[in-house]
Amino acid sequence: MMICFPQYDLKGKTVLITGAASGIGLEMARQFAKSGANVCVADLDVEQAEIVVKQIVSEGGCALALGMDVSSEVQVDVGVDKVVTEFGRIDILISNAGIQIINPIDKLSFSEWKKMLAIHLDGAFLTTRAVLRYMYADKLGGTIIYMGSVHSHEASPLKAPYVTAKHGLLGLSRVVAKEGASHNVRSYVICPGFVKTPLVEQQIPLQAKEKNISEDEVVKNIMLGNTVDGEFTTTEDITQLALFLSVFPSNVFTGQSFIASHGWSMK
Ligand code: NAD
């Protein structure tokens, strides 16, 4: 089935997307650039971020690569300063960088637990704080979008730190919505179901091994078993939601989370 998505106009806006060298962030970087935004491609993998920027520029877009570990206070603050020096301000933050760890709680190391919370929660806090300082200072405000997950609302075995971190983002986003309202800042959490990115590809064999089932069974029964149609959510679906929220002109949805999961979760 051919799907036609709406077009958005983000000319003159600057978006900072973390984890934009791969998967969902990469698709968002491309599509936000096609909508006219200046796109800052921030990632731990700076070489890949530079490749993405070259591709966007070759297609007529405007982009900047930033090597950034979102769990590093210094790297986040320096990166955000660089964006503002280059483009004047930041209108939209998409806090998207993330990892996955598959392990039952009794086998999970403390360092795995801390790594997950550092990337997802410290990263969300540090990037939020850094952009809010600019959004508040010039009184123009902005939009902050966190990449949550169906796991912001549901639990699954083998994913304790991920589920914990993704639930935590709902709390941060709600506080940002309340504190940010008087500064024209809106905040949202996007909660995708399974999207076929490197993050998901790498967990298929791990889940198969841990549960002693085939990789096909992992996809069919565990990942897509609770959807209404057995389909993956796509990077395009998630990008369209991010674009819609970025241009939406009132506060009516601020503080909300949006599940996009083919009916896996309907909260
Ligand atoms: P991905 O692995 O394709 O991309 C993640 C990117 O984040 C990579 O480019 C990686 O280098 C970067 N990254 C990792 N640690 C980082 C750090 N410390 N600092 C900066 N960048 C870092 O994964 P994806 O599937 O595109 O996931 C993106 C986000 O979407 C994650 O937050 C993930 O939890 C969330 N999500 C994914 C799915 C899915 O099914 N793929 C579902 C729900 C939510």
Side-chain angles (χ1 to χ4, degrees):
M1 186 180 47
M2 171 87 169
I3 297 176
C4 290
F5 289 117
Q7 300 292 309
Y8 294 96
D9 183 3
L10 284 161
K11 269 186 216 77
K13 301 286 183 195
T14 297
V15 56
L16 168 60
I17 308 172
T18 68
S22 173
I24 296 171
L26 168 60
E27 177 68 18
M28 288 197 290
R30 286 196 189 124
Q31 294 307 326
F32 273 72
K34 282 192 182 147
S35 299
N38 308 315
V39 177
C40 303
V41 178
D43 206 285
L44 199 56
D45 186 343
V46 68
E47 279 176 26
Q48 200 52 42
E50 277 162 2
I51 292 170
V52 173
V53 164
K54 269 192 196 143
Q55 194 182 345
I56 289 173
V57 171
S58 76
E59 289 165 1
C62 180
L64 172 74
L66 293 170
M68 182 191 286
D69 177 348
V70 294
S71 65
S72 157
E73 184 173 18
V74 173
Q75 289 187 33
V76 169
D77 287 348
V78 168
V80 167
D81 287 350
K82 205 169 162 189
V83 173
V84 175
T85 303
E86 189 76 20
F87 295 116
R89 77 180 314 271
I90 297 180
D91 300 279
I92 304 152
L93 163 67
I94 304 182
S95 174
N96 166 76
I99 59 163
Q100 182 57 279
I101 295 169
I102 300 297
N103 229 346
I105 296 172
D106 58 309
K107 292 187 191 158
L108 197 66
S109 69
F110 190 31
S111 62
E112 285 177 312
W113 171 266
K114 284 195 282 194
K115 183 177 180 188
M116 179 69 77
L117 298 197
I119 294 173
H120 290 259
L121 289 182
D122 297 356
F125 160 68
L126 290 171
T127 50
T128 299
R129 188 183 64 175
V131 303
L132 282 185
R133 285 172 174 161
Y134 284 110
M135 288 176 176
Y136 287 3
D138 67 9
K139 303 191 189 319
L140 292 173
T143 300
I144 299 186
I145 298 175
Y146 300 97
M147 198 52 62
S149 165
V150 162
H151 287 111
S152 298
H153 294 275
E154 308 278 354
S156 290
L158 309 178
K159 296 185 176 177
Y162 187 82
V163 171
T164 303
K166 293 300 191 189
H167 274 65
L169 290 176
L170 297 179
L172 176 62
S173 174
R174 288 168 186 159
V175 176
V176 172
K178 295 217 175 212
E179 289 186 6
S182 58
H183 302 274
N184 295 317
V185 171
R186 297 176 188 138
S187 176
Y188 310 104
V189 184
I190 293 179
C191 300
F194 282 100
V195 184
K196 222 155 185 255
T197 66
L199 180 138
V200 160
E201 308 263 11
Q202 55 98 18
Q203 60 179 284
I204 296 172
L206 296 176
Q207 293 233 31
K209 191 170 168 222
E210 196 63 47
K211 297 206 163 97
N212 201 20
I213 56 176
S214 72
E215 295 190 13
D216 277 354
E217 284 171 309
V218 171
V219 172
K220 219 172 150 199
N221 301 337
I222 295 178
M223 296 185 165
L224 305 179
N226 290 324
T227 63
V228 295
D229 52 10
E231 285 193 26
F232 278 102
T233 299
T234 66
T235 57
E236 291 85 355
D237 295 328
I238 300 307
T239 299
Q240 286 298 315
L241 182 50
L243 284 163
F244 168 78
L245 293 172
S246 296
V247 300
F248 200 81
S250 84
N251 288 334
V252 68
F253 298 127
T254 194
Q256 299 280 131
S257 68
F258 298 81
I259 298 176
S261 70
H262 285 256
W264 167 17
S265 177
M266 299 189 186
K267 285 186 176 154

